[in-house]
Amino acid sequence: MNSDPAIRIAMLPRDTNSQGTIFGGVILSYIDMAGAIEAHRHTEMDRFVTVAMREVIFHAPVFVGDLVSFYCETLKVGTTSITVRVVVEAERYGEPDQKARVTQAEVVYVAVDKEGTKVKITVK
């Protein structure tokens, strides 16, 4: 797992559900973005599309003000696809020493050209 997160973001009130925690869909969108950043860093490809999110596990809620980090690791590079593990960790607001693994997922991307046709992946 990379020691530097692909993304780090503070959660805001606009991201909350009626229970006062962050929407799972908000976390999923950042997982998708972080995984795509990893796919681009690991290859020479310009374009990827998301084809699957596997084993998305929500371990703990995320709260307003939490500083959330998305750590990525490339698991597999195929001919046209790449699989990335994303681990999400929250630093609790007002408690900088308290960190919690809140979510994890595997995301599969396929490399495509400008027309959306699958293309072979070239690795750096």
Side-chain angles (χ1 to χ4, degrees):
M1 192 72 51
N2 290 332
S3 60
D4 290 329
I7 299 171
R8 182 172 281 151
I9 188 161
M11 293 290 111
L12 301 173
R14 69 172 182 236
D15 302 320
T16 59
N17 59 31
S18 61
Q19 304 303 310
T21 58
I22 303 303
F23 276 112
V26 169
I27 300 299
L28 288 174
S29 69
Y30 286 122
I31 286 172
D32 193 18
M33 189 183 308
I37 289 168
E38 173 70 8
H40 287 287
R41 284 180 177 168
H42 194 81
T43 69
E44 296 177 352
M45 308 309 296
D46 292 331
R47 298 175 193 274
F48 286 98
V49 293
T50 307
V51 295
M53 280 200 173
R54 297 184 185 148
E55 300 180 356
V56 178
I57 302 170
F58 293 95
H59 298 288
V62 177
F63 304 102
V64 170
D66 284 355
L67 182 60
V68 183
S69 298
F70 297 78
Y71 298 93
C72 299
E73 174 185 18
T74 297
L75 298 178
K76 178 182 175 186
V77 179
T79 304
T80 61
S81 68
I82 184 168
T83 303
V84 177
R85 175 182 294 129
V86 182
V87 174
V88 185
E89 185 178 271
E91 182 179 306
R92 300 302 187 187
Y93 179 73
E95 302 176 53
D97 295 331
Q98 184 183 355
K99 295 180 181 174
R101 179 176 285 196
V102 293
T103 312
Q104 66 185 51
E106 287 184 11
V107 189
V108 181
Y109 301 92
V110 169
V112 296
D113 61 17
K114 290 180 182 180
E115 288 76 39
T117 305
K118 289 182 186 181
V119 295
K120 185 176 179 181
I121 292 177
T122 55
V123 180
K124 288 183 178 179

